[in-house]
Amino acid sequence: MPWTTILAAVDLVLIVVFIPWILSLKKRTTSALAWCLIVLLLPLLGSLLFVVFGYTYIDRPLKKKRQHRATFTPPPGTPRRRPFHTLSAEQHRLAGWKGLGRLASKFGNGPLVSGNRVDVYHETTNAFAAITAAIESAEHHIHLEFYIVQPDHVGEQLVDLLAEKARQGVEVRLLCDAIGSFTFSRMLRRKLIDAGGRCSDFMGFNPLRRRFRVNLRNHRKIVVVDGRVGFTGGMNVGREYLGLDPRYGYWRDAQLRVEGPGVAQMQRVFIEDWDFASGEQVEGAAYFPELAQAGDTTIQIVDSGPDEVTNSARALVLSAIISAERRVWIASPYIVPDSGVLDALMIAGNSDVDVRLLLPHKPDRWLPRIASKYLWSDLMAAGVEIHEYTRGMMHSKMMIVDDDWGWVGTANLDSRSLALNFENICVLHSAAAVELLATDFERDLQHAERVDADRFAQRPWTHRAAENIARLGAPLL
């Protein structure tokens, strides 16, 4: 039988198998249509691309994660993740700004919790020093979850400290994303494990196991010490995040330190991820100590990912933009919003809301930057201001809406963060805390240049062509 006949038969089988599969999995019409066309035109390559990048359904391992979420019961008085309809009357009243706190709870997140102290770090060196100090003071456990842990002297310094605490009898658990921390050396892992610590990969590289999905990554950054102090924000572990890599220079990131009842929600997110990745169920009052009020800030920890029917982070971003009356300020290294978020930004801009987007002038990833530029003309025509940070790398992920609502976390304003990645954000429902974020944002604008719409319209045709091509990959960026 000629090889062309065999190839045609294989193509036909792939089309017959993959087209119904795609239609059954892809809810969005545009995504389903795009993947179907790719498979029809290039059956063999298209099928392979779909398995690697388009297949976001991981039912069996995530079923375990959802079961853990449903059955996990911390000690009385600590927040737990539970259906919206089971929230108490008091928690129902804590709706937050424009009801967004209640909306997040409806999607399965914990309720608003008051009585927290929140410290905002503008300098990454200060944030890393605070994390190190908290680890040094640990008495019972240290839980860390990062997308990237680099095998450089910063990563080695952290592992050495964790190993020392493990030798002192402190429980140490380090969770890394398998692809983000692919270069994290086996020697450093072994150093921590030999000292008595634990290290696990999130969705490790094993094509023979169903849970491996190259396209679904854990982008969260969480540190919890003794269940009493928590950190989250955009920082990973590596020399570049401390401004020590000459390729990027100064590194601007937003990081929070939380003390108070809200830490229990951060702990819950880590424990669910740890159980999913390692199979170890971490339970007991020692991980959820009674937490007294430490300040006057009301927060809510929102985690989102492909295990949700409705992505919590995207729902909050979209709802906040639509609800804005005075301002929407967003800082993110990657701004490639989907059509819904894009329309909301343009409507806000046309409604005389002060909409400002802050992104790096020289990013660490160029493809999202080029795809983002495809949207700039429409955004600026709607009254949206676009500012490019010129001091160094802008890696902050934060959003400020009006005077009483904002967040700092790990989610970028792109489809990857708002659809594919596992993310977490700390939402602030307190005017004083939001004002701190606004002050930082205004300080960043002093080191930024506003994009001029007329000058941008005169960019070369080659740039426009590249933007047109790059935006086709926006759903994966």
Side-chain angles (χ1 to χ4, degrees), residues 186-349:
R186 183 175 299 179
M187 181 179 66
L188 289 178
R189 295 172 188 263
R190 178 51 55 188
K191 180 184 293 186
L192 176 58
I193 294 172
D194 289 346
R198 299 178 179 90
C199 186
S200 187
D201 289 326
F202 193 92
M203 292 176 67
F205 184 80
N206 187 346
L208 299 179
R209 300 182 64 185
R210 287 191 61 192
R211 74 169 51 195
F212 173 71
R213 293 288 178 268
V214 69
N215 204 33
L216 306 180
R217 306 318 320 161
N218 189 330
H219 198 238
R220 293 172 182 154
K221 295 94 177 174
I222 296 173
V223 177
V224 177
V225 177
D226 290 341
R228 298 183 180 277
V229 178
F231 296 84
T232 192
M235 282 180 56
N236 288 294
V237 179
R239 61 196 298 264
E240 64 266 38
Y241 301 99
L242 301 182
L244 302 177
D245 191 327
R247 291 179 299 171
Y248 307 112
Y250 179 79
W251 190 279
R252 169 70 178 106
D253 228 321
Q255 198 78 8
L256 299 181
R257 179 186 185 275
V258 179
E259 191 174 350
V263 177
Q265 293 189 359
M266 301 174 72
Q267 181 82 295
R268 187 264 307 161
V269 175
F270 173 86
I271 286 177
E272 286 181 4
D273 287 348
W274 180 261
D275 174 46
F276 169 68
S278 71
E280 179 192 10
Q281 295 190 15
V282 180
E283 298 178 313
Y287 303 100
F288 290 89
E290 185 175 348
L291 298 172
Q293 292 195 356
D296 55 4
T297 303
T298 298
I299 70 171
Q300 185 177 35
I301 303 300
V302 174
D303 60 298
S304 62
D307 56 335
E308 295 182 310
V309 176
T310 300
N311 186 283
S312 299
R314 182 185 183 276
L316 286 182
V317 167
L318 189 57
S319 300
I321 295 171
I322 294 172
S323 302
E325 298 178 357
R326 193 172 74 82
R327 68 178 173 189
V328 176
W329 294 355
I330 300 174
S332 174
Y334 318 118
I335 299 181
V336 195
D338 60 33
S339 59
V341 176
L342 177 64
D343 287 345
L345 289 170
M346 294 172 63
I347 291 171

Side-chain angles (χ1 to χ4, degrees), residues 442-453:
E442 290 173 330
R443 183 187 306 160
D444 291 334
L445 289 180
Q446 296 176 8
H447 300 282
E449 295 180 358
R450 182 177 175 179
V451 177
D452 181 85

Side-chain angles (χ1 to χ4, degrees), residues 86-159:
T86 67
L87 297 179
S88 67
E90 179 182 359
Q91 290 167 339
H92 270 291
R93 288 193 294 270
L94 290 175
W97 180 80
K98 302 288 187 178
L100 293 190
R102 186 158 52 198
L103 177 67
S105 295
K106 186 174 183 178
F107 292 137
N109 295 280
L112 295 177
V113 283
S114 58
N116 301 279
R117 172 181 172 177
V118 177
D119 296 318
V120 181
Y121 293 96
H122 186 93
E123 301 291 340
T124 56
T125 51
N126 294 338
F128 190 72
I131 292 173
T132 300
I135 291 173
E136 290 174 342
S137 67
E139 297 179 353
H140 182 264
H141 66 268
I142 303 165
H143 291 162
L144 307 96
E145 181 172 357
F146 286 104
Y147 176 61
I148 295 174
V149 179
Q150 298 283 25
D152 55 23
H153 75 276
V154 176
E156 186 174 357
Q157 174 187 339
L158 177 64
V159 170

